[in-house]
Amino acid sequence: MGHDGAGEFRSKISGIGSYLPEKILTNFDLEKMVDTNNDWIIERTGIKHRHIAKDGEGVSDLGYHAAQKALKMANLTAQDIDMIIVCTVSGDQVMPSTACVLQSKLGCRNIFSFDLSAACSGFVYGLSVADQFIRTGMYKHVLVVGGEVLHPFVNYEDRETCILFGDAAGAWIVSRAEKEYPNVIMSSHLHADGNLGDLFVLPAGGSKIPFSAEVLANKTQYVKMKGREIFKNAVRTMTDCCHEALNANGVKPHEVDWLVPHQANLRILESVASHFEFPTEKVVVSLHETGNTSAASIPVAFDMAFQEGKIKRGQLILLAAFGAGLTSGSLLLRF
Ligand code: UT7
């Protein structure tokens, strides 16, 4: 497909959907697995439970369900999709990409499909990439999925990490809109600071530390993080990204209807809101039901708020994310 009018188009969100696996892991379940308790988890994180995929269920399976809902809302079929981006750090396998698996499962044409790795900022990164392909006129409908099946990478003997994470997927259809159409992606601002890469890592399974008996002995197949350091940097980077988005658009915080931040920890969200002088009642929070679902967290939180009737068409919405890398980003859109 060629360029047919670069710069003449903007991106609208024609459909959204999300999917949470059935199985639920509560704080009380975790109490039986590791030295923790429900009160501590709620007080320090806000999380009550998280959903866990069943054995053999991968990101492409969760993404498939989310994508089907998004297609239905957009009134499109899989054949209409021109490109697939799956934002994930826990894909079905190293290769082929989860996007290729999903392309086959959905029955799409032989379209451009790839995985994007930016950890918890993945979905904002993915939307921004989709927006570029729409703006140039290259594509009409891009499917962006944020999906994670994190539980196989979590050490359920490490109380600092195992309480946080859950599995989920969210999907958006980003579609071509004429330039004058009001409800569009207005801007995206993305960052990465590799100097802080050691704060949150999954060391083994790549080319530097392939799987071995030593990996299993040292448990380097699991995520490891410096929680307090991540906390500080999360508040700093998400606050900066929120300011950046609003300054670039000449928008004041009170004009934003909803802030949909990466769902990491309730205290992180409250700190960002306070640094950003943004009312906490306009911050979308879903983490009590999902935990931290990395790249899935923003589209899942967004869809839950939409289903509950909080987020409405035409509202001004700010997405903000941070994640391993350290990556961060914001995206302002009129939905
Ligand atoms: O998407 C990015 C992924 N990562 C994050 O978002 C992580 C960001 N960081 C956090 O959310 C928080 O730092 C945590 C939830 C991980 C930890 O909360 P905290 O308030 O920063 O706790 P802390 O690390 O300062 O630990 C306070 C105490 C310690 O005990 P002592 O040294 O005071 O006796 C910990 O050993 O809490 C203890 N602790 C726990 N106690 C019960 C740590 N984890 C647990 C636990 N249950 N699960």
Side-chain angles (χ1 to χ4, degrees), residues 235-236 239-240 243 268-278:
V235 174
R236 177 180 60 80
T239 306
D240 288 351
H243 283 302
I268 292 177
L269 308 196
E270 287 169 351
S271 294
V272 170
S274 109
H275 281 80
F276 180 46
E277 293 177 7
F278 192 76

Side-chain angles (χ1 to χ4, degrees), residues 20-48:
L20 293 168
E22 272 169 41
K23 189 175 150 195
I24 286 176
L25 183 68
T26 67
N27 293 348
F28 299 104
D29 296 330
L30 286 164
E31 281 183 1
K32 294 180 202 127
M33 297 160 75
V34 73
D35 180 15
T36 191
N37 59 79
N38 178 55
D39 292 344
W40 191 95
I41 300 173
I42 290 184
E43 192 188 310
R44 297 298 185 116
T45 71
I47 300 165
K48 289 184 183 154

Side-chain angles (χ1 to χ4, degrees), residues 286-321:
S286 65
L287 56 79
H288 46 284
E289 291 181 55
T290 61
N292 178 346
T293 62
S294 188
S297 96
I298 287 179
V300 168
F302 194 111
D303 193 37
M304 285 167 80
F306 180 64
Q307 298 299 335
E308 286 166 22
K310 290 180 180 164
I311 289 181
K312 295 186 180 68
R313 281 294 194 183
Q315 288 184 329
L316 189 62
I317 299 177
L318 179 58
L319 312 183

Side-chain angles (χ1 to χ4, degrees), residues 227-287:
R228 255 178 277 182
E229 283 301 303
I230 295 181
F231 193 111
K232 275 192 288 186
N233 283 288
V235 174
R236 177 180 60 80
T237 55
M238 284 211 288
T239 306
D240 288 351
C241 286
C242 288
H243 283 302
E244 202 175 11
L246 296 202
N247 291 342
N249 291 282
V251 169
K252 299 270 172 277
H254 73 266
E255 293 174 87
V256 174
D257 291 297
W258 295 101
L259 171 64
V260 188
H262 167 49
Q263 308 285 309
N265 181 323
L266 186 59
R267 290 185 297 131
I268 292 177
L269 308 196
E270 287 169 351
S271 294
V272 170
S274 109
H275 281 80
F276 180 46
E277 293 177 7
F278 192 76
T280 45
E281 60 275 15
K282 292 208 293 184
V283 179
V284 168
V285 180
S286 65
L287 56 79

